Amino acid sequence: MAFTGLFLITFLIVHAGINSSIFLNDNGETFNEFAHFMSHNWIVRFLEIGLFAGLFLHIIQGFLLWKQNSDARPVKYLVNKQSSNSKWYSRSMGILGSLLLLFLVIHVSHFFVGTKVALYSGDKPHNLYDEMKEVFSNLWIVILYLAGVFSLFWHLYHGFHSAFQSLGIHHKKYIPIIRTIGTGYAVIICLLFALMPLAFYLGWLA
Amino acid sequence: MNLTLKVWRQKNPKSAGKLETYQVKNISSEMSFLEMFDVLNEQLILEGKEPIAFDHDCREGICGMCSMFINGQAHGPWQQNTTCQLHMRAFKDGDTIVVEPWRSKAFPVIKDLVVDRSAFDRIIQAGGYISVNTGNAVDANAIPIDKKDADHAFMAAACIGCGACVATCKNGSAMLFVGAKVSQLALLPQGAPERESRVLNMVAQMDKEGFGNCTNTYACEAECPKGISVANIARLNSEYLKAGLSSEEK
Amino acid sequence: MALDAKIPQGEMNEKWSDYKGHVKLVNPANKRKLEVIVVGTGLAGASAAASLGEMGYQVKAFCFQDSPRRAHSIAAQGGINAAKNYQNDGDSVFRLFYDTVKGGDYRAREANVHRLAEVSAAIIDQCVAQGVPFAREYGGLLSNRSFGGTQVQRTFYAAGQTGQQLLLGAYSALERQVALGNVTMYSRHEMLDVVKIDGKARGIIARDLVSGKLERHFGHAVLLCTGGYGNVFYLSTNAMGSNVTAAWKAHKKGAYFGNPCFTQIHPTCIPVSGDHQSKLTLMSESLRNDGRIWVPKQKGDQRKPADIPETERDYYLERRYPAFGNLVPRDVASRAAKERCDEGYGVGTTRMAVYLDFKDAIMRYGKTEAGKSGQDSNDTAHIFALGKKVVEEKYGNLFEMYEKITGENPYEMPMRIYPAVHYTMGGLWVDYELQTTVQGLYALGEANFSDHGANRLGASALMQGLADGYFVIPYTLGNYLADEIRTATIATDHPAFVEAEQEVHNRLNHLLQINGSQTVESFHKRLGKIMWDKCGMARNEHGLKQAIEEIRQLKHSFWTDVKIPGSLSEFNPELDKAGRVADFIELGELMCLDALTRNESCGGHFREESQTEEGEAKRDDVNFAFVSAWEHQGDSRWELHREPLHFEIVKPTQRSYK
């Protein structure tokens, strides 16, 4: 989980970084260039397979983990005061992940599928920026995206330092640093992602 | 004070159990939780009923035998504390207290609140030792050990093997228990020769026993009566990764 | 039967090496054919089982707990002595030997004690090699501290959890042998009888405490490592399950019981708070280094301790024993506390406690700290805070434990303490080879009587348990088993096994069928009260005779009116407890008889008839320089055998701490 998790964490940096170019407010020119590059460059497209493989592996691992862990306690407690010893999100990685998966299905159908269809069928370049604008004009979709980002935040907030723990980092000096970076990472990434639908919906971008 | 107790009763490993409700009266706040159970058991015996079976021995928080899940918490509401050291000051008149056994596939219930924790012994058998026969030792001061390492090894070795970590972990994982032993022996130079095989074998045994996996909620550390740090789990992970990469054994 | 301690000839410091040099050996091929039963898995049992397994014997180890790691050795706090002389402060094997004989008030066997001192150093080496994390100095070498009754620093420790760490070391060695197939472990099993064939111990009857089934186990030899019997007093620092049953069954099968009345009452325990109390908790002896013990000068003073001015406090140990003050030996400190409380000066709600006060120590350390950093030494609150930090470092975990139990903060308020039963020096009589008077039946650790005389010094119990298990029994057992190589494994359908099992079965059934009206616990409590009142810290002829009478009545009442729920063939802790209490009752009578017979005061045994004019214990070496070894001859009947004690090296003198 840690390896695939960290892999997906790096992907999110790229994803958030490129998408942030919409905030340049140049009517999506830069963004569309990036998008074009990302969808046409063979190296990127090769990496894309790796990304899906990683994601898929992460999901499979998560499911197996959930299954094993659930089997480890066949009879549940009648009273269990878990709030006294651990944070809700650390106990909810499975459910947060499942929500994320649902969100991802929608997200992919919104943007990824469209891009691919355009790539293989049409001759005119696909304007992803306009597509975003259109999708995010719907309030319900914006709310859905914000909910997705909410799940993502807690998933990352726990997942980041948790990955390092699972990889065996236990140095007293570095653990607080990892924690801080993890928090910063989750906040920044999620803030950027949350601002995108909001910015379109509220008309901050041209 | 007067209390209502809801206690898990289960005749034997195969039968289905359920909560039974009991009333205890005139409980002094100076009593320990187990002394309150003594009172209840005396009451049950005199009423011709079967007393509640529960594990306990030293009653000073070191043997690790007592094991009750009290109001949803391993060893009850106090932190860094065992059931035997929990005192009735922690409760107030009229409280209802629910008591269940440790719940884990690897710790089957024997009777009532008594569970079988021999899985821990088998994990130790898999490698929780240094192979040195009696009489083989060199002088104790022949190998100086950094005080810091010695102290960390001691803090890991303070584990009392009660199983609260497993009981409290939402995944029923034994990583804190295994991590503590692996850490203790990995931190000391005496443990070096068997370092790789130890961690691989202990983890393999842990998995075989049916314990769950660690998802880093750190509930184990919060409920551990000896406050064993989850840094030991990280050390276990790192030992395991290193051994897995470099070990030539299959 | 005449007692033969089998002490080797020769100079004291050559006896053990001479013995080892000439002892019979068993070759490795034969070891594999020999089976050894080890009952109990504390320091003595676990170390013995592991060592014998390593040597190649087939070992079966038994414990009543759910895991061998839980034996009560785990609760020892302070440390373990060893004559390493790492501190270069003049320690030696001889000094450890001398201190132990003297500390035991000249009632221990010199040769055994000398051997103990000789092997002590190797114990530390062995434990360190096993990964026991002893406390260390910054340079990476082992740290030592001092304990009562000695003038050198020879105590090795692991914070306040030395017993735990040593036991886990022995436990890991044991589990390794289990993994290798040399030891078979039987947890949640209780030994309920010794099986004797042709006068030799050949096995045991054990009960599987989970299923309730009785089992027969054969062994060429049987080792009892079953600890002490302090729970005869009901309240003690022992674990709830600690019991005398194994030793008592052996006693009834012919093993003599040595010095049963020698009990150690530890002066600093958390006092009893009410009738509900099930057990007492020790506060380490080390606290007396810094704490001052006092009671109010005025009887029944109800004021809070802080409100009692200095002039109205009686620091009675400092007053009575100016030379040693608060650091007098355990037996002396305990009796002095009892004397004050009996006179009506006790404190706390029960009036059965004295104060152990750290205020002076905190202020003293605080001033030193302030001096070091050049701070104002007039600000009392600041000085107190600085001093508190120092005390916290030294005793923090003990203070915490005290607060958990009593709910009082010992930094603010003096601790209330009172003596409590802690250890029993008496036990099965054994010879130099640790063999009891039954051939092939051995007793190790606290279960035997041998090394501590009438009073045990702090940090010596761990030493003895491990010495017996790691370094003594591997040699002495071979001397017996060398002659047993022709004895084939005896099938457990042998009539002796059948008969022994039947006896155990009948007894358990009998207990269950009484179906009376009183609980086991209530009998145990009453027994404890009789023992504590009349065979406790001070004993006299009248009281002891009365106690014997009362115990006999209690026994009768137990066997006619005890109520035990459940059945034989199930997990039944009440039945287990009933069997143990029944044995405690019989032992209690013998203890009183022994105390009655020993009309002298020595170590922990204080006969009021034998005291100096100032009320101090008075030993009688002319009439009582012997070990009492009691032979069981039937219900409430014993015959006394005396093993005379000869002191070749350490000449007895009257102890004085004035």
Side-chain angles (χ1 to χ4, degrees), chain B residues 11 13 28 30-32 34-35 38-39 41-42 44-60 62-66 78-82 85-87 89 110-111 114-118 120-122 124-126 128-147 150-151 153-155 157-163 177 181 184-185 188 190-191 194 225-226, chain C residues 47 50-51 54 64-72 74-75 77 84 86 122 124-126 128-142 158-161 164-165 168 171-173 175-179 187-188 210 234 237-242 273-274 276-282 349 400-401 403-407 470-471 474 517-522 563-566 570-574 577:
Chain B
K11 190 111 185 79
S28 135
E30 288 176 336
M31 279 185 191
S32 73
L34 295 184
E35 283 163 356
D38 292 342
V39 170
N41 271 349
E42 287 292 281
L44 291 174
I45 294 169
L46 291 174
E47 286 168 6
K49 293 178 188 154
E50 201 171 336
I52 300 159
F54 62 93
D55 264 334
H56 64 110
D57 199 25
C58 79
R59 294 206 179 184
E60 49 187 283
I62 192 77
C63 77
M65 190 117 171
C66 60
W78 288 356
Q79 298 291 300
Q80 297 209 2
N81 196 67
T82 54
Q85 295 287 77
L86 175 65
H87 279 66
R89 290 195 298 284
I110 291 175
K111 185 177 183 179
V114 176
V115 297
D116 179 358
R117 284 169 289 190
S118 50
F120 273 7
D121 289 332
R122 290 189 291 275
I124 298 295
Q125 283 159 25
Y129 47 74
I130 288 168
S131 297
V132 51
N133 283 0
T134 303
N136 279 349
V138 296
D139 185 85
N141 261 349
I143 316 161
I145 300 171
D146 187 344
K147 179 171 162 51
D151 287 350
F154 168 74
M155 284 188 274
C159 165
I160 58 174
C162 64
F177 171 78
K181 187 48 77 182
Q184 180 204 339
L185 300 179
L188 299 171
Q190 302 93 302
E194 297 162 286
K226 296 294 152 188
Chain C
S47 58
S51 302
E54 287 160 8
F64 70 79
Q65 296 93 341
D66 74 329
S67 160
R69 66 178 291 152
R70 313 222 191 269
H72 198 55
I74 207 158
Q77 298 171 351
K84 276 285 195 187
Y86 281 159
I124 303 303
D125 299 340
Q126 181 64 27
V128 167
Q130 286 170 345
V132 170
F134 282 120
R136 285 177 185 267
E137 305 291 352
Y138 283 99
L141 301 179
L142 291 163
Q161 284 144 266
Q164 182 201 22
Q165 295 309 317
L168 293 182
Y171 159 76
S172 66
E175 292 296 357
R176 174 170 160 251
Q177 292 308 310
V178 172
S187 297
R188 291 198 197 267
V210 175
Y234 184 71
T237 64
N238 284 9
M240 300 303 284
S242 301
S273 63
H276 54 77
Q277 192 118 6
S278 61
K279 111 133 225 161
L280 298 170
T281 303
L282 179 77
T349 44
E400 238 171 65
M401 188 160 34
E403 191 170 356
K404 259 182 208 163
I405 293 173
T406 62
Y470 283 135
F471 297 111
S517 63
Q518 303 176 60
T519 61
V520 176
E521 194 78 358
S522 72
K563 185 178 179 70
I564 304 162
E570 63 172 334
F571 187 78
N572 190 345
E574 277 299 309
K577 196 159 73 181

Side-chain angles (χ1 to χ4, degrees), chain A residues 159-190:
Chain A
F160 191 94
H161 72 80
S162 180
F164 286 92
Q165 164 87 2
S166 296
L167 291 177
I169 310 290
H170 53 79
H171 199 287
K172 260 195 179 150
K173 200 153 58 181
Y174 302 122
I175 285 182
I177 299 176
I178 290 170
R179 286 248 174 190
T180 312
I181 294 175
T183 310
Y185 169 85
V187 169
I188 293 168
I189 294 282
C190 293

Side-chain angles (χ1 to χ4, degrees), chain C residues 334-527:
Chain C
S334 293
R335 275 197 292 276
K338 177 179 163 22
E339 187 271 339
R340 281 294 85 184
C341 294
D342 288 351
E343 292 298 311
Y345 295 95
V347 299
T349 44
T350 58
R351 303 272 131 203
M352 289 304 275
V354 298
Y355 288 128
L356 177 59
D357 200 334
F358 292 88
K359 184 88 189 294
D360 282 357
I362 292 174
M363 293 310 284
R364 189 178 71 239
Y365 286 125
K367 275 189 189 133
T368 317
E369 288 299 298
K372 267 196 232 167
S373 50
Q375 296 175 55
D376 179 14
S377 60
N378 291 323
D379 181 354
T380 321
H382 183 58
I383 298 287
F384 184 85
L386 287 175
K388 189 182 156 187
K389 222 181 248 170
V390 178
V391 170
E392 212 173 311
E393 240 170 61
K394 289 183 120 171
Y395 312 113
N397 63 333
L398 295 169
F399 276 49
E400 238 171 65
M401 188 160 34
Y402 180 87
E403 191 170 356
K404 259 182 208 163
I405 293 173
T406 62
E408 288 172 5
N409 178 352
Y411 296 103
E412 308 285 331
M413 235 161 97
M415 282 185 182
R416 285 174 296 111
I417 51 146
Y418 197 68
V421 176
H422 180 56
Y423 186 89
T424 49
M425 282 74 70
L428 292 176
W429 184 90
V430 290
D431 60 23
Y432 189 74
E433 297 184 310
L434 304 182
Q435 185 165 238
T436 67
T437 47
V438 174
Q439 270 195 302
L441 182 65
Y442 292 76
L444 283 67
E446 192 181 348
N448 74 32
F449 88 101
S450 73
D451 294 353
H452 306 295
N455 177 54
R456 180 178 63 78
L457 289 181
S460 284
L462 303 183
M463 172 172 67
Q464 188 220 338
L466 290 180
D468 288 358
Y470 283 135
F471 297 111
V472 179
I473 202 70
Y475 292 90
T476 62
L477 187 64
N479 200 32
Y480 171 73
L481 291 178
D483 294 333
E484 294 295 327
I485 52 174
R486 280 166 213 88
T487 310
T489 298
I490 298 171
T492 52
D493 55 6
H494 186 283
F497 276 97
V498 177
E499 195 187 318
E501 186 189 315
Q502 194 57 44
E503 265 174 42
V504 171
H505 181 87
N506 292 347
R507 180 180 157 99
L508 293 175
N509 244 345
H510 183 183
L511 281 169
L512 282 166
Q513 279 164 3
I514 296 168
N515 200 18
S517 63
Q518 303 176 60
T519 61
V520 176
E521 194 78 358
S522 72
F523 282 104
H524 196 180
K525 276 189 184 175
R526 273 174 280 166
L527 173 67

Side-chain angles (χ1 to χ4, degrees), chain C residues 163 605 641:
Chain C
H605 170 65
H641 301 267

